[in-house]
Amino acid sequence: MRIAYLDCFAGISGNMVLGALLDAGLSLERLEAELARLGLDGYRIVAGEVRRKGLRGIHVEVETEEQGVARHLHDIEEIIEGSGLPAPVQARSLSIFRRLAEAEARVHGTPVDHVHFHEVGALDAIVDVVGAVTGFWLLGVERAYASHVHVGRGTITCAHGVIPVPAPATAELLKGVPIYGRDVEAELVTPTGAAILASLAAGFGPGPAMRVDQIGYGAGTRELPLPNLLRISIGETLGGAEDGEEAAEAGHGGHGHHDHHGHEHGGHGHGEHGHGEHGHAAHEHGGHDHAGHEHAGHEHGAHGHQEDTAGVDPGEEAPYAGEAAQGPAAGDKPKDRDFLQTREGMLFCVTGYLHPPDRYTAYLKYTPDPGGKWRDGERAYRRELAHYHVSTVAGTLRYLEANYPHYVSDCPVRDIRFSMVPRDCVARYFRPRERLQEILAGPRDALEEETCALVDYIAGLAGLSAHDMGVTGSLLTATHNPDFSDIDLLVYGQAEAALLRDRLGPEGTDEFRRPSAEERAGWCARVAEHHPLSVDEAAYLARRRWNYGYFGPRYVSIHAIRRDEEIDEEYGQRTYRARGLARLRAVLADVSEALFLPAIYRVEGVEVLEGGAEAAGVRAIVSHEGLYCDVAEPGATVEAYGKLEAVNGRVDHLVVGAMEGAGGYIKLPPGMGG
């Protein structure tokens, strides 16, 4: 797969992107020919080589005689939609401008339709945005990734007075993007650059494994204390950890090898607290299968293939026996870790228990790809998440917004924007318990045979029925590969899951073995790298992890799912509103619902360390990050950082694993870990 990596060590702007693409081999003549389809006159692209701190790069200037033209979003939409540009270029360009409009609307407190684009609606900005999207398309880039973004520091003077860097609209556009500011007193990221980056980049961090074929440097206009350049590397992903994904056991975003499902999303109507998605990153559930095991996958962004949806007939036979179901079994409620397939062939993982009447809240897990390593008969799929973290889940939202915007919705009940699949777009609904029964009735390969043996073992160990269990991930969708896929087992019911936990015990059993000391050490190092935890703090969490291990040679994860009778909140019964961020210390009063995700910890004795006075009213820490599932016993003191949330108007929750606050954390103060 052809990918690009943007190294934003000196920030990013629209003309820097264009310069880097031209330096990487994009033909200016071809670019101008494509942009001519916009039907706009009165500009010319001037590109030339310059030096920045002794390093060369291409500086681009879009010269125009246009003065003081302010366009609305609908004006720009008409220009792009009326052009002869390819559909993918139109869709992604429109996505960028809509993102810009939404940011401006939020900053200024005005409806999106009323936003006047000034600088970003000018002719040169239109050329920058559409030119950048066109450039990636012409160079055959299918996926884009980026480094953490240097935004500079200090203040700038604008029409609104002196304001800190980054400017308000830029800051809004960079929500969910990892940023930093160092010794450069300057504004390094423009709104146009931020919008391009936030819309097109699938993930942020170190460069993915790739064979680099082309490198380009795009130069900014000003001289800075560092080279004012944007570097773009373009090439092919390497095998092994497939298509830019992390290598085996790299963990889903810091969850490391074995935190495969730490649902960083929301969406679990947790008992009386309901809670929905809250804009949390998708939980790491189902089919983590790590590269070696199946866990790899891609952080795909807005550069997805247009052919991804080809070759899927909604009327085809379902991947497992029975009807091509379009919803849960009769009388059942949709549940966390169910899967569904859209009419385009994409596979989504259902998140939680609260869903609008006409939609399923779910995150994108697999998309059709002829080169993918997960297969359903003749059809191949790729993973859309290299690891489960708020930034990579945000990447799937950007991908959907750019290519399938009808799958992303604002939820007025939960005060989030998340992926939600209209029920009339569902071609197949995968039922975990039914799929397990089919496997038990006639296993078809080694992985399914091992699943049968595992179910028999657990049934005997804890006195559970096979009807108390199900499977999720690639086993559920029958896209698994016996050579590297794992077993993701579901146990339905709080009492059943608690009994199994107690029977497995903290050390596992002879048949269900815990990861080795070496594996745990590697996991702890990766957790500390990706999360605001020390290695020692991660080691404490590792000692609490009862539901991950090996059954024979096969890696297994076990996850608790609510039964229908344990889902006691209807959609719309409560409303949830974000109230900023807070850090607090509290005593755990009730941990009985920490088995599920989200993990719910009832608390008392709240001490506010950061945040407003209303944070003292928090009664529950709610984690959508599986890393913090079942971390402590009642009476333990924990420190937690995350999003404050008002439930029906009263601040009641501190939410960990939300998009806000980079996910937050739960940790035990020194000496409390045992």
Side-chain angles (χ1 to χ4, degrees):
M1 177 177 295
R2 195 155 184 80
I3 63 172
Y5 181 70
L6 287 71
D7 199 333
C8 307
F9 61 87
I12 185 171
S13 65
N15 66 322
M16 291 171 76
V17 175
L18 281 183
L21 292 173
L22 290 169
D23 195 38
L26 174 65
S27 164
L28 179 57
E29 292 75 17
R30 181 72 188 281
L31 175 65
E32 290 174 327
E34 290 295 322
L35 291 175
R37 301 187 185 194
L38 289 168
L40 299 173
D41 299 316
Y43 74 91
R44 72 186 186 106
I45 301 173
V46 180
E49 186 173 295
V50 297
R51 295 290 189 275
R52 297 289 183 259
K53 294 298 179 183
L55 299 179
R56 57 162 302 284
I58 299 297
H59 180 258
V60 169
E61 189 73 32
V62 181
E63 296 182 348
T64 173
E65 298 178 358
E66 187 176 81
Q67 299 272 337
V69 176
R71 296 179 173 89
H72 290 86
L73 177 61
H74 67 82
D75 297 318
I76 295 174
E77 289 176 333
E78 287 178 2
I79 292 171
I80 295 173
E81 291 173 346
S83 74
L85 289 166
V89 173
Q90 289 191 34
R92 291 165 192 148
S93 299
L94 288 169
S95 169
I96 292 171
F97 278 108
R98 287 165 182 158
R99 188 180 292 270
L100 276 163
E102 290 169 357
E104 293 284 354
R106 185 171 181 85
V107 167
H108 296 289
T110 187
V112 170
D113 292 342
H114 293 177
V115 170
H116 283 79
F117 286 121
H118 294 279
E119 289 87 356
V120 296
L123 190 54
D124 58 342
I126 296 173
V127 173
D128 282 344
V129 170
V130 180
V133 175
T134 301
F136 282 113
W137 178 73
L138 289 172
L139 291 172
V141 174
E142 300 169 77
R143 296 286 179 271
Y145 306 88
S147 68
H148 294 185
V149 182
H150 191 178
V151 298
R153 69 181 189 183
T155 61
I156 57 173
T157 302
C158 65
H160 308 286
V162 178
I163 56 176
V165 169
T170 303
E172 186 71 23
L173 288 160
L174 292 176
K175 283 173 38 176
V177 174
I179 64 174
Y180 65 95
R182 289 184 180 159
D183 299 331
V184 180
E185 297 282 340
E187 181 185 27
L188 301 184
V189 179
T190 67
T192 303
I196 292 171
L197 189 68
S199 297
L200 301 188
F204 298 86
M210 62 185 296
R211 186 196 70 240
V212 177
D213 300 323
Q214 300 157 275
I215 299 176
Y217 291 86
T221 301
R222 294 173 296 171
E223 288 290 347
L224 299 173
L226 79 173
N228 190 8
L229 299 168
L230 170 72
R231 180 169 63 194
I232 295 181
S233 303
I234 299 173
E236 299 291 328
T237 55
L238 299 178
E242 186 183 28
D243 292 340
E245 70 210 2
E246 295 194 37
E249 303 188 7
H252 303 310
H255 306 297
H257 183 196
H258 309 310
D259 209 337
H260 310 118
H261 314 311
H263 322 353
E264 299 175 338
H265 75 323
H268 308 273
H270 25 313
E272 70 180 75
H273 284 277
H275 235 80
E277 300 336 317
H278 309 306
H280 312 151
H283 39 319
E284 304 182 7
H285 49 2
H288 48 294
D289 307 9
H290 359 287
H293 307 306
E294 211 181 283
H295 92 279
H298 327 267
E299 304 174 38
H300 299 352
H303 289 291
H305 302 289
Q306 293 304 300
E307 67 268 23
D308 288 347
T309 62
V312 179
D313 180 358
E316 293 178 10
E317 183 184 359
Y320 60 90
E323 63 180 291
Q326 294 180 305
D332 284 356
K333 299 177 181 179
K335 296 179 179 65
D336 193 43
R337 302 179 193 268
D338 292 354
F339 267 69
L340 58 87
Q341 186 178 58
T342 68
R343 293 175 178 175
E344 299 88 354
M346 295 181 289
L347 293 169
F348 284 74
C349 184
V350 175
T351 58
Y353 307 95
L354 287 179
H355 305 274
D358 61 340
R359 296 173 182 267
Y360 297 109
T361 303
Y363 74 91
L364 180 61
K365 187 67 174 286
Y366 300 96
T367 53
D369 183 350
K373 65 177 184 178
W374 291 269
R375 305 192 71 86
D376 162 26
E378 299 300 317
R379 190 180 307 123
Y381 297 85
R382 65 170 182 262
R383 284 276 301 269
E384 289 295 334
L385 293 175
H387 52 261
Y388 295 81
H389 193 268
V390 291
S391 62
T392 56
V393 175
T396 67
L397 299 185
R398 291 191 291 270
Y399 170 77
L400 291 169
E401 286 179 323
N403 298 281
Y404 310 99
H406 56 295
Y407 288 148
V408 181
S409 303
D410 293 308
C411 178
V413 168
R414 293 165 291 183
D415 192 23
I416 62 166
R417 183 169 181 81
F418 205 75
S419 45
M420 302 181 198
V421 179
R423 300 197 180 197
D424 60 5
C425 293
V426 176
R428 298 169 182 158
Y429 196 99
F430 300 92
R431 303 165 179 171
R433 284 183 281 196
E434 288 185 11
R435 171 62 173 142
L436 178 58
Q437 293 304 311
E438 189 217 31
I439 292 172
L440 296 174
R444 296 177 292 182
D445 55 45
L447 183 64
E448 294 188 0
E449 290 174 354
E450 292 168 28
T451 301
C452 295
L454 174 65
V455 169
D456 288 343
Y457 173 71
I458 287 177
L461 180 69
L464 303 181
S465 164
H467 294 282
D468 296 324
M469 295 178 254
V471 291
T472 191
S474 61
L475 259 179
L476 173 58
T477 58
T479 55
H480 60 277
N481 187 320
D483 293 336
F484 56 75
S485 294
D486 302 332
I487 300 174
D488 298 304
L489 191 72
L490 307 181
V491 176
Y492 290 85
Q494 182 176 341
E496 289 79 1
L499 177 60
L500 178 58
R501 176 194 60 192
D502 295 343
R503 293 295 173 84
L504 288 174
E507 303 301 324
T509 67
D510 291 341
E511 292 82 3
F512 190 84
R513 298 176 292 105
R514 300 295 179 214
S516 68
E518 183 179 0
E519 288 176 311
R520 290 196 303 272
W523 180 85
C524 292
R526 289 185 293 272
V527 167
E529 180 182 356
H530 293 281
H531 293 263
L533 300 172
S534 68
V535 171
D536 287 344
E537 290 165 338
Y540 168 75
L541 298 178
R543 294 194 294 271
R544 296 284 306 187
R545 294 163 59 82
W546 65 270
N547 55 329
Y548 298 88
Y550 292 92
F551 185 74
R554 191 72 63 176
Y555 193 76
V556 174
S557 66
I558 304 170
H559 305 278
I561 303 295
R562 294 184 184 273
R563 294 184 179 275
D564 280 352
E565 57 270 24
E566 295 172 328
I567 305 170
D568 62 357
E569 180 177 1
E570 298 294 329
Y571 183 82
Q573 183 177 341
R574 296 180 177 86
T575 59
Y576 302 88
R577 296 290 182 267
R579 293 290 180 82
L581 300 172
R583 184 169 65 93
L584 54 83
R585 187 175 291 128
V587 178
L588 302 184
D590 182 357
V591 302
S592 59
E593 293 183 274
L595 278 167
F596 301 111
L597 279 169
I600 304 171
Y601 298 93
R602 316 287 180 189
V603 299
E604 58 189 13
V606 173
E607 176 188 359
V608 180
L609 305 177
E610 294 179 18
E614 60 182 356
V618 167
R619 295 186 297 177
I621 299 171
V622 181
S623 177
H624 297 265
E625 166 59 75
L627 189 65
Y628 307 114
C629 180
D630 200 21
V631 299
E633 301 299 323
T637 299
V638 299
E639 179 183 304
Y641 173 75
K643 177 177 74 172
L644 281 177
E645 188 169 65
V647 183
N648 286 347
R650 179 190 183 280
V651 171
D652 191 84
H653 295 162
L654 183 80
V655 180
V656 177
M659 295 290 186
E660 299 86 342
Y665 62 78
I666 300 175
K667 57 177 110 178
L668 276 73
M672 297 296 297

